[in-house]
Amino acid sequence: MSNWKKRLAAGVLAFITLALAAVPYWPWEEAPADREAIGGAKIPAGPYVALTFDDGPRAATTTVLLDGLAQRGVHATFFVIGENVEGNELLLQRMEGEGHQIGMHTYHHKSLDQLNAAGFYAEVDSLRATLTALLGREEFMLRPPYGMMNAATQARAAAPIVLWSVDPEDWSDRDTARQVEVITENTQDGDIILLHDIYPASVETALQVVDTLMAKGFHFVTVEELFAVRGKTPENGTVYRRLPPSSAG
Ligand SMILES: [Zn+2]
């Protein structure tokens, strides 16, 4: 199968898996924002949105993205692949130093529902160890590749599992204009946007989205800050996603 067909099939499977699983909707849906939690009254009252980037880092594109985010004073969240961290250690330290959140996306972009215990630990715990050696701490959120997971994944995660709610499928066409339109027309308070910082078009999309949504009053935060501003603590092994409006009530 071609790459996009595989990803489409994985996405459909992930949707079915998640539709069947009893997963909570995001805990911040009804919670009032608490600005003190992320820096006090100098933080605007919201709405809040989190930009997340999977599959990197990739030096050429991630560097451009970090430059653009720094110019705008925006923090994002990067779910990195272990093998892409190799050789890009300074880039990871720059991310951390500039206030971005770093999370795990497995060592080799493996579908976690396909792995036995040994495979899981090779993909997730090895990446956690790599990040701990580099950054000096042990707590990192997990985003499963393709959103694929099962009960064993949750039991083994030892991390909050964070999905997304706005997905322009940027890998499918590398079309910045279309992606910007999809994101800016669908993003609401509390959303988590999914992009991939390995594509130049996606980097351009992200920066245009920041400019457009900031002009509408949105405040960009990391995923951790999205929890904190609502006074919520992410729990290890819990899947965080937003259910469709029809099923959230
Ligand atoms: Zn991925």
Side-chain angles (χ1 to χ4, degrees), residues 7 54-55 79 81 105 109 143-146 194 196:
R7 297 188 78 146
D54 289 5
D55 294 7
F79 291 98
I81 294 175
H105 197 50
H109 208 268
R143 172 167 287 163
Y146 318 107
L194 170 62
H196 298 80

mmCIF file of all heavy atoms in Angstrom, residues 7 54-55 79 81 105 109 143-146 194 196, ligand 1:
data_model
loop_
_atom_site.group_PDB
_atom_site.id
_atom_site.type_symbol
_atom_site.label_atom_id
_atom_site.label_comp_id
_atom_site.label_asym_id
_atom_site.label_seq_id
_atom_site.Cartn_x
_atom_site.Cartn_y
_atom_site.Cartn_z
ATOM 1 N N ARG A 7 -1.746 5.269 6.022
ATOM 2 C CA ARG A 7 -2.095 6.194 7.092
ATOM 3 C C ARG A 7 -3.604 6.375 7.171
ATOM 4 O O ARG A 7 -4.164 6.483 8.260
ATOM 5 C CB ARG A 7 -1.394 7.534 6.876
ATOM 6 C CG ARG A 7 0.112 7.390 6.924
ATOM 7 C CD ARG A 7 0.802 8.720 6.901
ATOM 8 N NE ARG A 7 0.739 9.338 8.218
ATOM 9 C CZ ARG A 7 1.713 10.103 8.700
ATOM 10 N NH1 ARG A 7 2.795 10.320 8.018
ATOM 11 N NH2 ARG A 7 1.581 10.658 9.882
ATOM 12 N N ASP A 54 4.170 16.348 15.489
ATOM 13 C CA ASP A 54 4.608 14.954 15.574
ATOM 14 C C ASP A 54 5.712 14.672 14.547
ATOM 15 O O ASP A 54 5.876 15.394 13.559
ATOM 16 C CB ASP A 54 3.444 14.004 15.274
ATOM 17 C CG ASP A 54 2.409 13.987 16.400
ATOM 18 O OD1 ASP A 54 2.535 14.766 17.357
ATOM 19 O OD2 ASP A 54 1.470 13.171 16.283
ATOM 20 N N ASP A 55 6.433 13.600 14.793
ATOM 21 C CA ASP A 55 7.352 12.952 13.839
ATOM 22 C C ASP A 55 8.735 13.589 13.722
ATOM 23 O O ASP A 55 9.599 13.052 13.047
ATOM 24 C CB ASP A 55 6.752 12.839 12.425
ATOM 25 C CG ASP A 55 5.555 11.909 12.356
ATOM 26 O OD1 ASP A 55 5.103 11.454 13.431
ATOM 27 O OD2 ASP A 55 5.066 11.643 11.253
ATOM 28 N N PHE A 79 5.977 16.124 19.923
ATOM 29 C CA PHE A 79 6.024 14.689 20.206
ATOM 30 C C PHE A 79 7.059 14.077 19.254
ATOM 31 O O PHE A 79 6.794 13.882 18.063
ATOM 32 C CB PHE A 79 4.638 14.069 20.028
ATOM 33 C CG PHE A 79 3.666 14.517 21.085
ATOM 34 C CD1 PHE A 79 2.763 15.539 20.832
ATOM 35 C CD2 PHE A 79 3.669 13.934 22.353
ATOM 36 C CE1 PHE A 79 1.873 15.967 21.813
ATOM 37 C CE2 PHE A 79 2.782 14.355 23.338
ATOM 38 C CZ PHE A 79 1.885 15.369 23.068
ATOM 39 N N ILE A 81 10.230 11.612 17.706
ATOM 40 C CA ILE A 81 10.613 10.230 17.422
ATOM 41 C C ILE A 81 12.067 10.042 17.852
ATOM 42 O O ILE A 81 12.933 10.862 17.503
ATOM 43 C CB ILE A 81 10.448 9.930 15.921
ATOM 44 C CG1 ILE A 81 8.969 9.997 15.528
ATOM 45 C CG2 ILE A 81 11.031 8.557 15.578
ATOM 46 C CD1 ILE A 81 8.738 9.828 14.042
ATOM 47 N N HIS A 105 6.802 10.081 20.968
ATOM 48 C CA HIS A 105 6.032 9.578 19.818
ATOM 49 C C HIS A 105 6.633 8.241 19.344
ATOM 50 O O HIS A 105 6.574 7.935 18.161
ATOM 51 C CB HIS A 105 6.043 10.632 18.711
ATOM 52 C CG HIS A 105 4.991 10.458 17.649
ATOM 53 N ND1 HIS A 105 3.666 10.263 17.936
ATOM 54 C CD2 HIS A 105 5.074 10.466 16.291
ATOM 55 C CE1 HIS A 105 2.975 10.158 16.798
ATOM 56 N NE2 HIS A 105 3.813 10.269 15.781
ATOM 57 N N HIS A 109 8.480 5.215 15.442
ATOM 58 C CA HIS A 109 7.144 5.430 14.889
ATOM 59 C C HIS A 109 6.387 4.112 14.688
ATOM 60 O O HIS A 109 5.895 3.805 13.599
ATOM 61 C CB HIS A 109 7.199 6.214 13.565
ATOM 62 C CG HIS A 109 5.935 7.009 13.318
ATOM 63 N ND1 HIS A 109 4.877 6.510 12.606
ATOM 64 C CD2 HIS A 109 5.553 8.245 13.728
ATOM 65 C CE1 HIS A 109 3.915 7.430 12.558
ATOM 66 N NE2 HIS A 109 4.294 8.482 13.237
ATOM 67 N N ARG A 143 2.174 10.459 22.796
ATOM 68 C CA ARG A 143 1.207 10.453 21.687
ATOM 69 C C ARG A 143 1.474 9.228 20.834
ATOM 70 O O ARG A 143 2.527 9.127 20.194
ATOM 71 C CB ARG A 143 1.294 11.721 20.855
ATOM 72 C CG ARG A 143 0.420 11.611 19.595
ATOM 73 C CD ARG A 143 0.226 12.911 18.900
ATOM 74 N NE ARG A 143 -0.680 13.782 19.620
ATOM 75 C CZ ARG A 143 -0.765 15.098 19.400
ATOM 76 N NH1 ARG A 143 0.004 15.656 18.506
ATOM 77 N NH2 ARG A 143 -1.637 15.827 20.076
ATOM 78 N N PRO A 144 0.544 8.286 20.781
ATOM 79 C CA PRO A 144 0.751 7.075 19.991
ATOM 80 C C PRO A 144 0.724 7.391 18.494
ATOM 81 O O PRO A 144 -0.163 8.116 18.028
ATOM 82 C CB PRO A 144 -0.451 6.194 20.355
ATOM 83 C CG PRO A 144 -1.064 6.826 21.566
ATOM 84 C CD PRO A 144 -0.729 8.281 21.501
ATOM 85 N N PRO A 145 1.683 6.855 17.716
ATOM 86 C CA PRO A 145 1.617 7.021 16.262
ATOM 87 C C PRO A 145 0.270 6.551 15.706
ATOM 88 O O PRO A 145 -0.256 5.519 16.142
ATOM 89 C CB PRO A 145 2.767 6.127 15.772
ATOM 90 C CG PRO A 145 3.769 6.202 16.885
ATOM 91 C CD PRO A 145 2.926 6.199 18.141
ATOM 92 N N TYR A 146 -0.281 7.311 14.788
ATOM 93 C CA TYR A 146 -1.576 7.038 14.154
ATOM 94 C C TYR A 146 -2.735 7.088 15.155
ATOM 95 O O TYR A 146 -3.870 6.746 14.803
ATOM 96 C CB TYR A 146 -1.596 5.679 13.433
ATOM 97 C CG TYR A 146 -0.341 5.372 12.653
ATOM 98 C CD1 TYR A 146 0.565 4.424 13.102
ATOM 99 C CD2 TYR A 146 -0.047 6.064 11.473
ATOM 100 C CE1 TYR A 146 1.721 4.156 12.409
ATOM 101 C CE2 TYR A 146 1.109 5.805 10.765
ATOM 102 C CZ TYR A 146 1.997 4.846 11.238
ATOM 103 O OH TYR A 146 3.153 4.585 10.541
ATOM 104 N N LEU A 194 -3.059 19.208 15.420
ATOM 105 C CA LEU A 194 -2.018 18.250 15.019
ATOM 106 C C LEU A 194 -1.363 18.678 13.702
ATOM 107 O O LEU A 194 -2.035 18.844 12.689
ATOM 108 C CB LEU A 194 -2.639 16.857 14.841
ATOM 109 C CG LEU A 194 -1.740 15.792 14.196
ATOM 110 C CD1 LEU A 194 -0.512 15.513 15.046
ATOM 111 C CD2 LEU A 194 -2.526 14.507 13.948
ATOM 112 N N HIS A 196 2.837 18.314 11.569
ATOM 113 C CA HIS A 196 4.095 17.562 11.530
ATOM 114 C C HIS A 196 5.212 18.520 11.132
ATOM 115 O O HIS A 196 5.173 19.079 10.019
ATOM 116 C CB HIS A 196 3.978 16.400 10.532
ATOM 117 C CG HIS A 196 2.914 15.406 10.917
ATOM 118 N ND1 HIS A 196 1.575 15.626 10.659
ATOM 119 C CD2 HIS A 196 2.995 14.217 11.560
ATOM 120 C CE1 HIS A 196 0.885 14.602 11.126
ATOM 121 N NE2 HIS A 196 1.708 13.733 11.675
HETATM 122 ZN ZN ZN B 1 3.446 10.274 13.738
#
